[in-house]
Amino acid sequence: MSSMIDKTDTFEIVRYIENDIIQHLQPNKVIVIYGPRRVGKTTLVHKLAKQISDPVLWLNGENLDTQEWLSSRSLTKLTAGIGSYRRLIIDEAQRVDQIGLNLKILIDSIPNIRIIATGSSSFDLANQVGEPLVGRKWQYQLYPVAQLELVPMETPFESKLKLEERLIYGSYPEVVTTQGAQEKRNILSSIVDGALFKDLFMLDGIKKPAKAVQLAKAIALQVGGLISLTELSNTLDINLATVERYLDLLEKTFVIISVSGFRRNLRTELTKTRRYYFWDNGIRNSLINSFNPLSLRTDTGQLWENYIFIERMKKRDYQHIYSNIYFWRTHNRQEIDLVEERDGKLHGVEIKWSPSKGRRPPSNWTDTYPNAEYVVVNRENYLSFIT
């Protein structure tokens, strides 16, 4: 049996966006790849570099010499450093001051140059490349390994055998390809302690790093629930503006993602509250040091909801399923976990661990939105929803 379910330990995981990036690696365009640290961006661009026939100049934005040269805004200095190379890869590009303006100088001035830039902070890199590279870039987001990417390597039966492991330890590449619970925990701990918050603490506005970590832990305990910012402010003894600022930075450094409430017709629908999910179950569990099996947990429903929400997000992004995303809840506590609004139609999704729960939609939902769809995703039918 072990040889059947351990294929990820011996086979390379092909990232879903790989071919799309190759197709869009065009002359005088920049490919920008965002994603958390250790999610596989460097591995991906190394593989992409091998598929490029021409010589590639590889640069690391965390190198001080590289930072000084690439932030010069001097065409003479930039072209002298690049020489005859026409293929350029810049890892951790957000570390380079005014990287967007400097990339614009390069692609506007050097014929046939192709550039790939990666960043582990959407806050820094997006701000720097946004306006300067309008119309000159293709943008991608790389997530922890998606179940979508494991389809070529696993049968549905094998995927379900691995489900509990993925709910607990998540889907970071090193975690997926490593055997042994303790080793997986060590990897997750190193990601959290040594990498995950590195970008967060370097951003402006983080004057109390310990409070930011406490805030992340507090959110971890309330995954998928309605979050009261005032309650968080009182609990952590920091002002409301700081709570909002830290939550925003946690989103921009790929730790959490927020969802707002949907409202169109009912006055009783909640819209001012938000829900938060973690980019990865393993990171969430590592933050609160909880790796017990599902049989000993009281938060299985939260883990399941976070997993399905994130895996569905990966699918939407990778397969270009453009949707507005919400949750739906009324003051009398009727609710739907996920609402996707696309092509003028509403799709309600209730996420339940137990196959016997949530089969009928809330009455207010069907009365108010009679043309909306409604499905229940549970541990028996989930694979078709996320792959």
Side-chain angles (χ1 to χ4, degrees), residues 9-27:
D9 194 38
T10 56
F11 284 76
E12 177 187 27
I13 299 172
V14 178
R15 306 315 299 261
Y16 198 87
I17 60 176
E18 180 180 321
N19 289 334
D20 201 55
I21 291 175
I22 287 293
Q23 292 174 10
H24 288 101
L25 189 57
Q26 301 163 345

Side-chain angles (χ1 to χ4, degrees), residues 197 200-201 206 208-217 236 238 246 250:
F197 289 110
L200 180 67
F201 296 157
I206 298 294
K208 298 179 179 179
K211 292 294 185 181
V213 175
Q214 290 174 20
L215 178 60
K217 290 181 178 180
L236 300 176
I238 53 179
Y246 285 4
L250 284 167

